[in-house]
């Protein structure tokens, strides 16, 4: 057939719309969307004719092709996945999974009017940070607190409110970059303050800060180097030492803590993380940390500290631009309330539940799923139950790993491509399964699996077409 006759053989949108199967789809998805998808498919067919001088194979089943396209178009892009990467706080997968109490609080706040900035006692305008400030004071011992969109915003606000047009002193060993182009020197520039770098990459002493202080100094800064560690011949000034210098000179001290655990993680046999409570006791004026890292709540940036400093943050014009919405506040309040029952936290807070799971329990889970996986995937893959290490994630030290357990898949043909196509196929599932390829194997770390049955069901539907099911 010539191209011209091929083009002519394509049906019109109107003719397709009058077909029974298409009419049914129009009932479900609406006329507009169906017509738009049909036009899209016709364009695709024309492109194919031009390139290959033939009709694409799917033109033999317009209804089928339309159905597929409609599903693609209407599928939510933000989808739940099985996080089997072994990274508990995976930034690309939304960090902390929320506690049930937080989920309920957010749902209520979304559906109904809430007392976000309404003081019921006074019947007048209240402050949106009031609810969480009270809890944060109780938990951390701070005089006051301020909540913004994320910790990056909290750091920006601290610098802007405390040192705009002035100098802020920070150690060269702490000028961090974290993912997504957040660099301390850039943030300071945006905040309008001048960074005075002191010390060297590996060693900074108290006298370095002392010598840099002048009449323009407005802030002494500590940054938690969460995602790397300098080892060997090193020296750093502690928050406590810097706080003493701050007191002597009358210059406020601010600390960007990054993760900031609100409970002592060593109680759970985890590596102890710096806690805001301790820094405040040490005399640091402002401490900032994330809501969705070790705290296990929603994305938020929290600053706790001295009432007069917090007041400067609250009244700075940037605060209005960086403030949290009611959903964040609702989730954060509910999460913080769980900290008042700290004994129940490892059950009530998913992040802590995942971090504290015993490798033996995860192994049992893997061993139970193993026979099913071997039956389903055995033709093409050698499936095993193997020890591995999980990571906390979100800028917690990559070196702090947690012993865990995985199902591993090794391609019988030994080709990396086979492994990659399995992983890619799992990404196309209704609820994608996300593992990790390392050492020529695809690893499914079961640390973050709450529902074995749901995973087993997902795996039953996860056999790629090239593999025949048993
Ligand atoms: C994670 C982190 C940030 C940024 O926090 P977000 O909540 O992701 O904005 C800033 N500083 C440090 C030290 C961090 O670890």
């Amino acid at each position: 057939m010539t191209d011209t006759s091929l083009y002519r053989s394509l049906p019109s949108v109107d003719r397709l719309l009058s077909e029974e199967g298409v009419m049914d789809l129009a009932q479900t998805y609406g006329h507009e969307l169906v017509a738009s998808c049909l036009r899209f498919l016709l364009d695709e067919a024309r492109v194919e004719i031009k390139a290959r001088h033939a009709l694409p194979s799917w033109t033999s089943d317009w209804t089928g092709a339309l159905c597929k396209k409609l599903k693609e178009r209407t599928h939510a892009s933000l989808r739940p996945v099985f996080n089997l990467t072994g990274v508990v706080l995976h930034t690309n997968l939304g960090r902390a999974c929320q506690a049930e109490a937080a989920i309920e609080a957010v749902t209520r706040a979304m559906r109904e009017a809430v007392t976000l900035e309404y003081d019921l006692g006074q019947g007048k305008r209240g402050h949106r940070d009031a609810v969480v400030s009270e809890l944060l004071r109780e938990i951390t011992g701070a005089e006051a607190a301020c909540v913004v969109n994320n910790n990056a915003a909290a750091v920006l606000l601290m610098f802007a409110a405390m040192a705009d047009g002035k100098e802020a002193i920070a150690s060269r060993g702490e000028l961090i970059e974290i993912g997504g182009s957040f660099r301390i020197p850039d943030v300071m520039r945006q905040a309008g303050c001048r960074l005075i770098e002191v010390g060297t990459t590996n060693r900074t002493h108290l006298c370095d800060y002392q010598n840099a202080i002048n009449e323009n100094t407005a802030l002494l800064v500590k940054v938690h180097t969460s995602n790397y560690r300098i080892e060997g011949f090193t020296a750093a000034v502690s928050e406590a030492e810097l706080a003493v210098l701050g007191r002597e000179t009358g210059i406020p001290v601010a600390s960007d803590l990054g993760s900031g655990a609100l409970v002592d993680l060593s109680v759970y046999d985890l590596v102890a993380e710096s806690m805001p409570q301790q820094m405040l006791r040490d005399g640091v004026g402002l401490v900032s940390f994330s809501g969705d890292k070790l705290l296990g709540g929603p994305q938020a940036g929290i600053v706790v500290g001295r009432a007069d400093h917090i007041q400067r943050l609250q009244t700075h014009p940037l605060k209005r631009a960086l403030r949290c919405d009611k959903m964040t506040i609702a989730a954060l309040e509910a999460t913080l309330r769980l900290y008042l029952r700290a004994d129940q936290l490892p059950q009530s807070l998913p992040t802590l539940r995942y971090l504290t799971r015993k490798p033996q329990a995860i192994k049992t889970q893997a061993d139970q799923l193993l026979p099913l996986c071997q039956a389903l995937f055995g033709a093409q893959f050698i499936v095993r139950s193997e020890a591995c290490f999980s990571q906390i994630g979100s800028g917690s030290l990559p070196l702090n790993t947690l012993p865990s357990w995985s199902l591993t898949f090794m391609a019988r043909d030994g080709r990396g491509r086979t492994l990659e196509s399995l992983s890619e196929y799992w990404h196309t599932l209704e609820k994608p399964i996300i593992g990790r390829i390392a050492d020529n194997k695809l690893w499914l770390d079961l640390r973050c699996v709450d529902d074995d049955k749901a995973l087993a069901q997902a795996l039953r539907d996860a056999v790629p077409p090239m593999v025949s099911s048993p």
Side-chain angles (χ1 to χ4, degrees), residues 384-405:
R384 293 206 186 97
S385 161
E386 284 190 69
C388 65
F389 288 95
S390 313
Q391 288 189 12
I392 297 173
S394 268
S396 290
L397 270 186
L399 310 168
N400 286 349
T401 53
L402 309 167
S404 185
W405 220 271

Side-chain angles (χ1 to χ4, degrees), residues 95 150-152 176 178 182 223-224 226 256 258-259 290 292-293:
R95 290 195 185 157
N150 52 25
N151 188 37
I176 60 160
I178 56 170
F182 175 93
V223 183
H224 191 58
S226 31
D256 169 14
S259 208
S290 296
D292 55 353
K293 291 185 179 173

Side-chain angles (χ1 to χ4, degrees), residues 94-96 98 128-129 132 136 145-155 157 178 182 256-260 262 287-304 319 322-333 335-336 394:
R95 290 195 185 157
Q98 303 298 294
R128 74 168 55 207
D129 290 359
V132 283
L136 284 163
C146 170
V147 203
V148 286
N149 230 322
N150 52 25
N151 188 37
V155 174
L157 182 59
I178 56 170
F182 175 93
D256 169 14
L257 198 47
S259 208
L262 292 182
V287 184
S288 83
F289 49 97
S290 296
D292 55 353
K293 291 185 179 173
L294 285 171
L295 195 154
Q299 178 187 305
I302 297 166
V303 190
V304 290
K319 171 70 203 313
L322 304 175
R323 74 181 188 187
C324 295
D325 71 325
K326 62 175 179 176
M327 290 182 266
T328 302
I329 302 229
L332 190 56
E333 184 198 354
T335 307
L336 289 172
S394 268

